[in-house]
């Protein structure tokens, strides 16, 4: 809708609002209502009907005066709205505000009016016309992501640091060289899916349900190897359509180790930005989630514990070589048979360490809080004791991480 088309209804709306607010005493009267002119001694006594004419003239003059004020106010509203929505006329709006502040107390943009204009401008922005990213489906709330990683992801100091640094650096870059590729590794229940959903929730307004986010589960979306060629065509088409639809997109591949190597190679052009057409894949993020590498990660964590060293002392310099070594083992590993590792297309390997007893208790606490349920330390301990711990001798790490914790608190419901 054009600005000229919006001005008239906005002005009329202001007029009606002010007429309604004015009441029976006249619009905006701040003192006593005006009195009819005093009758001189030479004038004959007039009937009530005769006095209607002058009174109406007084009323007319009052309304005329305030309608002029309404017109000026409507213009001020319009300048405020145009500045907020189209970033036009902001200078005039500021100058008008300065003139208003220098005048004696009177009509100005009421606070409630500003609130309504904020709502109107937000509604207009919901169509993607005036957001900072140029697309209101994209929010890129890195501050919220950092807060949730610190407050809700337990026992994963490496994952917190790598994910936040990688995503933040990628979003800050005005023109990335290519898509961002992160590969999450670790046992089940350690937080890989949890972090992937968290990234989606803080980068996109509708989270994982956003049309800019696509989630692929290997055995669900690509169950039969004999249809690999068909899957490759479908996958390429879906990625291309999403990138064309969204200025920024997120692709999550769960159980990535079970993907056929042909599918991983089909994704390769999107990761390396080999496509030089009109579609830009450089603003895409790819997350691969895999249990592969979990054994190497757990062995390192166990070695540190046996040596009396804190798990927070584990660094990527120590862990990454052993993780990559396990990823390169052939067998039925799509990673090893594809070209992702060979061509260094994965930017960051993100290890998820095995969770210990006190981490499981923190997960149980979060599950109680998420349902708005009260809890006690005894209840948290009981939930944590329900889990199976390995190795057999030390019973140090939860075999399922925190995966089934939320179901286990059902035992404590009344």
């Amino acid at each position: 809708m054009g600005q000229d088309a919006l001005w008239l209804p906005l002005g009329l709306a202001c007029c009606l609002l002010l007429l309604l607010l004015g009441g029976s005493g006249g619009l905006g009267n701040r003192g006593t209502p005006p009195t009819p002119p005093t009758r001189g001694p030479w004038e004959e006594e007039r009937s009530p009907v005769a006095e209607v004419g002058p009174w109406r003239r007084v009323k007319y003059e009052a309304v005329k005066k305030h309608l002029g004020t309404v017109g000026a106010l409507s213009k001020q509203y319009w300048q405020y709205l145009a500045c907020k929505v189209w970033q036009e006329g902001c200078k005039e709006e500021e100058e008008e505000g300065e003139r208003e502040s220098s005048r004696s107390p009177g009509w100005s943009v009421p606070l409630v009016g500003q609130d309504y204009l904020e709502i109107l401008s937000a509604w207009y922005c919901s169509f993607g016309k005036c957001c900072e990213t140029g697309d209101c489906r994209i929010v890129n709330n890195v501050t919220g992501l950092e807060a949730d990683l610190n407050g809700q992801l337990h026992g994963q100091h490496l994952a917190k640091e790598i994910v936040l640094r990688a995503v933040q650096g990628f979003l800050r870059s005005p023109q990335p060289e290519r898509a961002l590729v992160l590969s999450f590794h670790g046992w089940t229940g350690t937080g890989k899916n949890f972090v992937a959903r968290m990234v989606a929730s803080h980068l996109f307004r509708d989270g994982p349900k956003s049309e800019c986010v696509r989630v692929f589960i290997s055995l669900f979306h690509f169950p039969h190897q004999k249809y690999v060629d068909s899957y490759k065509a479908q996958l390429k088409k879906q990625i291309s359509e999403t990138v064309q639809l969204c200025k920024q997109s997120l692709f999550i591949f769960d159980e990535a180790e079970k993907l056929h190597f042909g599918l991983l190679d089909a994704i390769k052009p999107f990761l390396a930005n080999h496509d030089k057409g009109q579609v830009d894949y450089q603003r895409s993020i790819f997350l691969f989630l895999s249990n592969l590498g979990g054994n190497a990660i757990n062995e390192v964590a166990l070695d540190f514990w046996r040596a009396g060293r804190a798990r927070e002392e584990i660094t990527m310099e120590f862990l990454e070589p052993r993780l990559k070594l396990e990823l390169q083992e052939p067998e039925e590993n799509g990673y090893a048979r594809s070209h992702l590792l060979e061509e260094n297309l994965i930017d960051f390997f993100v290890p998820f360490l095995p969770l210990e007893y006190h981490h499981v208790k923190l997960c149980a606490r979060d599950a109680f809080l998420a349902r708005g349920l009260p809890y006690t330390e005894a209840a948290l301990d009981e939930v944590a004791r329900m889990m199976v711990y390995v190795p057999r001798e030390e019973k140090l790490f939860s075999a399922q991480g925190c995966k089934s914790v939320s179901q286990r608190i059902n035992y404590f419901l009344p």
Side-chain angles (χ1 to χ4, degrees):
M1 182 181 292
Q3 297 185 21
D4 294 337
L6 278 174
W7 194 92
L8 181 59
L10 182 61
L12 291 174
C14 289
C15 290
L16 291 173
L17 176 64
L18 291 170
L19 285 170
L20 289 172
L21 291 176
S24 60
L27 286 173
N29 285 338
R30 302 187 183 267
T32 58
T35 57
T38 307
R39 185 171 64 247
W42 59 87
E43 296 181 21
E44 296 180 1
E45 185 168 345
R46 299 174 181 175
S47 66
V49 176
E51 290 186 352
V52 169
W55 175 249
R56 281 186 174 174
R57 282 196 296 273
V58 172
K59 188 78 171 179
Y60 167 77
E61 292 297 331
V63 171
K64 180 180 177 181
K65 175 183 176 182
H66 288 294
L67 284 178
T69 306
V70 168
L73 181 60
S74 298
K75 180 181 178 182
Q76 191 175 349
Y77 269 118
W78 176 251
Q79 288 176 347
Y80 182 86
L81 181 62
C83 177
K84 280 287 183 182
V85 175
W86 296 285
Q87 286 77 47
E88 296 177 2
C90 295
K91 183 177 181 181
E92 291 83 351
E93 203 273 333
E94 291 175 1
E95 291 174 352
E96 182 67 22
E98 292 174 359
R99 287 196 295 270
E100 284 295 332
S101 62
S102 64
R103 296 173 187 166
S104 57
W107 287 95
S108 61
V109 178
L111 179 59
V112 65
Q114 289 185 351
D115 290 342
Y116 281 123
L117 286 177
E118 291 288 353
I119 294 171
L120 179 58
S121 62
W123 169 79
Y124 185 86
C125 284
S126 69
F127 294 98
K129 303 293 184 183
C130 56
C131 297
E132 291 182 4
T133 60
D135 186 341
C136 283
R137 296 169 299 184
I138 303 167
V139 295
N140 290 345
N141 181 13
V142 178
T143 302
L145 176 61
E146 180 178 12
D148 279 356
L149 285 172
N150 288 329
Q152 300 181 32
L153 183 64
H154 307 300
Q156 304 297 352
H157 67 285
L158 290 174
K160 289 179 185 178
E161 177 186 352
I162 297 171
V163 170
L164 183 62
R165 177 161 48 92
V167 171
Q168 192 172 42
F170 178 74
L171 296 179
R172 284 179 176 175
S173 175
Q175 189 61 43
E177 294 181 359
R178 60 186 182 88
L180 174 65
V181 185
L182 304 180
S183 191
F184 294 178
H185 299 275
W187 269 5
T188 183
T190 51
K192 301 184 299 294
N193 272 285
F194 184 60
V195 173
R197 291 194 305 271
M198 195 181 292
V199 171
S201 297
H202 288 290
L203 266 54
F204 299 91
R205 181 188 60 195
D206 298 326
K209 296 182 179 179
S210 172
E211 56 188 347
C212 300
V213 178
R214 299 299 300 263
V215 179
F216 301 98
I217 303 173
S218 298
L219 297 183
F220 179 77
H221 291 95
F222 318 110
H224 306 293
Q225 291 196 4
K226 61 181 179 179
Y227 299 130
V228 168
D229 289 338
S230 175
Y231 294 152
K232 288 167 65 174
Q234 293 175 15
L235 183 57
K236 287 181 178 180
K237 182 174 181 288
Q238 290 172 349
I239 293 177
S240 297
E241 289 177 346
T242 305
V243 173
Q244 289 174 350
L245 180 66
C246 303
K247 184 177 179 179
Q248 176 182 300
S249 49
L250 173 65
F251 302 96
I252 302 172
F253 293 86
D254 196 8
E255 300 178 340
E257 77 279 2
K258 298 174 184 176
L259 281 172
H260 190 278
F261 71 91
L263 291 173
L264 289 172
D265 282 341
I267 302 170
K268 185 177 68 172
F270 303 104
L271 309 184
N273 201 31
H274 289 168
D275 192 310
K276 300 300 181 182
Q278 295 180 348
V279 181
D280 181 10
Y281 301 99
Q282 297 170 339
R283 275 295 176 191
S284 300
I285 300 176
F286 289 80
L287 304 181
F288 295 98
L289 283 53
S290 173
N291 293 340
L292 201 64
N295 292 332
I297 295 170
N298 294 353
E299 287 173 5
V300 170
L302 185 60
D303 290 343
F304 268 67
W305 182 82
R306 286 172 174 168
R309 302 175 63 182
R311 61 192 282 134
E312 288 72 22
E313 295 181 41
I314 302 174
T315 63
M316 284 303 296
E317 288 76 14
F318 186 84
L319 183 57
E320 190 168 8
R322 298 177 66 169
L323 174 59
K324 284 185 176 180
L325 191 63
E326 182 173 339
L327 297 182
Q328 292 168 354
E329 294 178 2
E331 299 181 3
E332 295 300 320
N333 172 14
Y335 271 86
R337 300 179 64 186
S338 72
H339 292 84
L340 297 187
L341 298 177
E342 179 183 322
E343 298 186 18
N344 296 315
L345 295 178
I346 296 176
D347 297 303
F348 296 94
F349 293 93
V350 185
F352 285 75
L353 302 173
L355 298 180
E356 301 174 13
Y357 183 88
H358 64 282
H359 299 133
V360 177
K361 285 185 61 177
L362 292 173
C363 292
R365 180 204 63 187
D366 292 347
F368 275 105
L369 292 175
R371 296 194 189 184
L373 299 174
Y375 65 89
T376 62
E377 283 296 317
L380 299 184
D381 278 318
E382 189 168 349
V383 171
R385 284 196 296 268
M386 291 180 181
M387 310 300 286
V388 176
Y389 293 87
V390 293
R392 183 177 299 178
E393 298 79 15
E394 290 87 352
K395 296 189 180 300
L396 180 61
F397 304 131
S398 170
Q400 290 183 291
C402 286
K403 193 163 189 176
S404 60
V405 165
S406 60
Q407 286 79 22
R408 293 177 187 274
I409 68 172
N410 292 330
Y411 290 104
F412 298 89
L413 298 180

